[in-house]
Amino acid sequence: MECKVVQPWAITQDQVLTCKGWTLDKLLKMHKNFLAGNRVPVSKTTEDVIATFDAEGIPAVIEGLQHLPGWKDDLLNVDCLADDSSIEKVPVRNIHNNVDTKLSLLDFIERTRNASPFVQPGESERLYGKDLKTPQSWIDWLHKGNVVPSCLLPTTDNLLVHLPESAKVDTLMSYIGTGDTFTPSHKDLCASHGQNLMCYTENDGSSFWFMTRRQDARAVADYFHNKLEHDIDHESYVTSVEDFARAPFPVYVIEQKLGDLVIVPRTSCHQVVNHGGLTVKVSWSRMSLKSISQAVYYELPLCRRVCRPETYRVRLTLYYTIRALYTKFSEQMRQHTVLSCSTDLRNQAQQITQALRIFDDVLQNECVEDYVSLPCHLSSESNHLSCDFCGADIFQSFLECEECSSDGDPCTICPECYAEGRSCSCQLMQPTQVRPLNVILQERDEVIRGLQEHWKTSSEEGVEFATRAYVSFYT
């Protein structure tokens, strides 16, 4: 099908978005709704500045990382990527028909370099490399290069690190594209904190970001659903400039260039359009306790509604986080009994308490009175069992039918879908659990007792624990 190139305010199925002629100044002058994103030189970036960005939920850019001594041009380039023996085939998407395929990295880079910087009439192929594996040498540099602020590194305040190796989730990905390739409007998964570093460009390549504030997440969802007739959680709608201009909320416009680190607030809607020559970006997500809370109460129900895979294993992450935090807390309590009321231990206790409150609400949806009689599938945790209907990660309880199987795997349905009437063909599903529930409840009680002992020792007052015990389930 022939593509008709138009400016992106009247996109239909036979037309393709193009950013030809875009400049940041032109876009910002197009509509009063468009605001420039906050930019801070890396030399003036402190943890307090970053904490302010997070508290306000406003998109921001830390600029100038390419001028730091730790920046390595000889490492951060596509030729180094091509030389990495661990990267063979890479997933690429043709933006003209949304068909995904795999190409050798060398072939993909060659096609990308040979492509015109903008969509041409009659063009049938324009490839974008999404969710590519990041070389280990780049990951090592990211952690040890003293370039990215330490509080934004992939392992900082990221509860996903507490998952066991068998259940690890990889959130660090690379993206390679040229002009007029894009990622449609979307939110990062599970209310995670997003970071995106442009580490290599050719021929003045850059990327335009259209971003919203965290506080506007509900307004964004309503606007997409009611006015644009698309669901933001489907990540399938390419939003035109005019669509953004008509939005009843501010839209922050950022042009990301070499050395720019874009900070994406939790639940910020954002669309990225590559401009000009080839660009390479490295992106990673972090799941803080704020992310976990927002995911459990708001984002996971939305994912279920649109059948979007959970990916980040939120409830399992919460479970292992409580275990890890309490182990650290207990060791410090044993070593520093006299200092049990120290600020550090107090903060740890409060963090564990907050996590427990969320976890109790998770357990309320996972518990059944006759759990002792239910079979357990301990291998389900490492095998990443998910609901066959909505894609939700299975943490503890699920329903299973071995007779109604797909490719030899039993039909699996989460409790929420089953309660809504979804089942297998024979409708004779067996309630099942991943691990013995009494083990989880015993671990929970141990944590609560330890926290209560801490507050008793330190004479603290007014701290309530997640003591909504499901007493009928303990016996």
Side-chain angles (χ1 to χ4, degrees):
M1 178 176 65
E2 181 172 324
C3 297
K4 180 181 179 182
V5 179
V6 296
Q7 288 297 326
W9 44 74
I11 297 172
T12 62
Q13 290 184 344
D14 62 339
Q15 299 170 335
V16 174
L17 180 151
T18 180
C19 58
K20 185 176 182 179
W22 284 10
T23 67
L24 183 60
D25 287 342
K26 286 182 180 179
L27 289 170
L28 291 175
K29 292 176 181 178
M30 284 183 64
H31 200 278
K32 62 181 181 181
N33 202 36
F34 291 164
L35 304 175
N38 292 315
R39 279 188 168 270
V40 180
V42 66
S43 59
K44 297 182 179 180
T45 301
T46 64
E47 287 196 18
D48 288 340
V49 170
I50 295 172
T52 299
F53 289 150
D54 181 59
E56 295 177 347
I58 296 177
V61 180
I62 300 174
E63 62 183 9
L65 275 69
Q66 79 277 21
H67 300 308
L68 294 177
W71 188 270
K72 292 185 177 296
D73 287 322
D74 58 341
L75 174 69
L76 305 173
N77 58 73
V78 289
D79 295 323
C80 180
L81 276 176
D83 290 339
D84 192 307
S85 60
S86 67
I87 304 176
E88 298 178 358
K89 299 286 187 178
V90 295
V92 298
R93 172 170 295 179
N94 186 350
I95 61 136
H96 290 307
N97 56 17
N98 284 331
V99 172
D100 294 330
T101 186
K102 285 194 173 184
L103 295 175
S104 71
L105 183 57
L106 286 173
D107 185 17
F108 169 57
I109 292 174
E110 181 180 1
R111 294 194 196 188
T112 302
R113 281 174 163 163
N114 291 335
S116 63
F118 304 104
V119 170
Q120 300 297 309
E123 180 181 282
S124 61
E125 180 182 88
R126 183 160 292 262
L127 302 177
Y128 188 26
K130 296 183 60 178
D131 300 336
L132 276 60
K133 179 181 177 181
T134 302
Q136 186 59 47
S137 57
W138 288 27
I139 298 174
D140 294 341
W141 168 82
L142 195 62
H143 286 93
K144 302 175 183 178
N146 294 320
V147 172
V148 174
S150 59
C151 61
L152 296 177
L153 289 173
T155 54
T156 303
D157 194 21
N158 185 2
L159 304 185
L160 293 172
V161 302
H162 299 309
L163 287 171
E165 283 300 322
S166 61
K168 285 293 185 184
V169 177
D170 188 8
T171 74
L172 204 159
M173 304 290 179
S174 298
Y175 298 80
I176 303 176
T178 190
D180 288 352
T181 57
F182 50 80
T183 301
S185 292
H186 67 288
K187 297 180 298 182
D188 287 343
L189 286 169
C190 301
S192 58
H193 303 258
Q195 294 76 210
N196 188 294
L197 174 64
M198 183 165 286
C199 53
Y200 179 77
T201 64
E202 293 179 359
N203 301 322
D204 297 322
S206 64
S207 296
F208 284 96
W209 292 62
F210 299 83
M211 311 178 72
T212 64
R213 300 177 299 184
R214 180 174 63 243
Q215 70 188 64
D216 293 324
R218 179 59 183 271
V220 172
D222 289 344
Y223 177 65
F224 270 74
H225 182 76
N226 298 326
K227 299 297 183 182
L228 305 182
E229 298 182 345
H230 284 79
D231 199 311
I232 185 64
D233 293 293
H234 278 146
E235 194 175 334
S236 60
Y237 185 69
V238 183
T239 313
S240 70
V241 170
E242 188 60 30
D243 287 336
F244 280 123
R246 287 194 298 261
F249 42 79
V251 176
Y252 291 82
V253 184
I254 290 169
E255 184 177 12
Q256 182 189 24
K257 297 184 178 182
L258 180 66
D260 284 349
L261 176 65
V262 177
I263 301 176
V264 184
R266 288 175 286 119
T267 69
S268 166
C269 167
H270 51 285
Q271 178 169 285
V272 186
V273 184
N274 296 317
H275 176 271
L278 183 148
T279 62
V280 181
K281 299 188 285 288
V282 174
S283 175
W284 63 96
S285 295
R286 297 178 299 116
M287 288 292 293
S288 66
L289 192 55
K290 292 179 180 178
S291 302
I292 294 285
S293 177
Q294 198 162 4
V296 167
Y297 297 119
Y298 301 103
E299 294 302 308
L300 292 188
L302 291 174
C303 288
R304 280 196 60 251
R305 180 171 61 83
V306 300
C307 298
R308 185 178 186 183
E310 183 175 328
T311 305
Y312 286 176
R313 311 197 72 176
V314 173
R315 287 158 291 198
L316 186 67
T317 300
L318 178 61
Y319 170 61
Y320 277 106
T321 292
I322 293 172
R323 290 177 52 170
L325 293 180
Y326 183 66
T327 297
K328 177 183 176 182
F329 175 80
S330 299
E331 291 174 353
Q332 292 191 6
M333 282 285 289
R334 286 193 294 270
Q335 296 172 7
H336 306 287
T337 305
V338 178
L339 300 177
S340 61
C341 60
S342 69
T343 299
D344 182 47
L345 282 176
R346 185 184 301 114
N347 290 340
Q348 288 184 49
Q350 290 175 341
Q351 187 178 31
I352 297 170
T353 299
Q354 183 183 356
L356 274 172
R357 290 188 177 122
I358 304 169
F359 192 57
D360 269 6
D361 288 336
V362 169
L363 288 181
Q364 191 172 26
N365 290 327
E366 300 279 351
C367 289
V368 293
E369 290 191 35
D370 61 342
Y371 70 86
V372 176
S373 66
L374 300 183
C376 294
H377 285 198
L378 295 175
S379 63
S380 300
E381 179 176 301
S382 58
N383 290 340
H384 196 168
L385 194 65
S386 60
C387 176
D388 287 338
F389 187 89
C390 72
D393 180 65
I394 300 297
F395 164 61
Q396 172 62 19
S397 300
F398 61 101
L399 293 103
E400 180 181 77
C401 179
E402 295 186 356
E403 299 299 323
C404 301
S405 63
S406 175
D407 298 326
D409 295 324
C411 178
T412 302
I413 297 293
C414 69
E416 289 86 353
C417 281
Y418 190 78
E420 293 169 359
R422 301 177 182 116
S423 184
C424 62
S425 298
C426 71
Q427 299 189 3
L428 297 176
M429 304 201 79
Q430 171 66 43
T432 312
Q433 52 188 353
V434 173
R435 60 190 72 75
L437 183 60
N438 63 302
V439 173
I440 296 178
L441 297 175
Q442 289 168 4
E443 290 173 335
R444 171 188 173 278
D445 284 354
E446 179 186 353
V447 173
I448 290 176
R449 286 193 297 270
L451 289 173
Q452 289 173 332
E453 182 63 29
H454 161 69
W455 293 114
K456 178 181 177 182
T457 303
S458 61
S459 300
E460 289 287 339
E461 297 179 356
V463 178
E464 296 180 1
F465 298 99
T467 54
R468 296 193 302 277
Y470 305 110
V471 179
S472 62
F473 298 159
Y474 291 173
T475 56

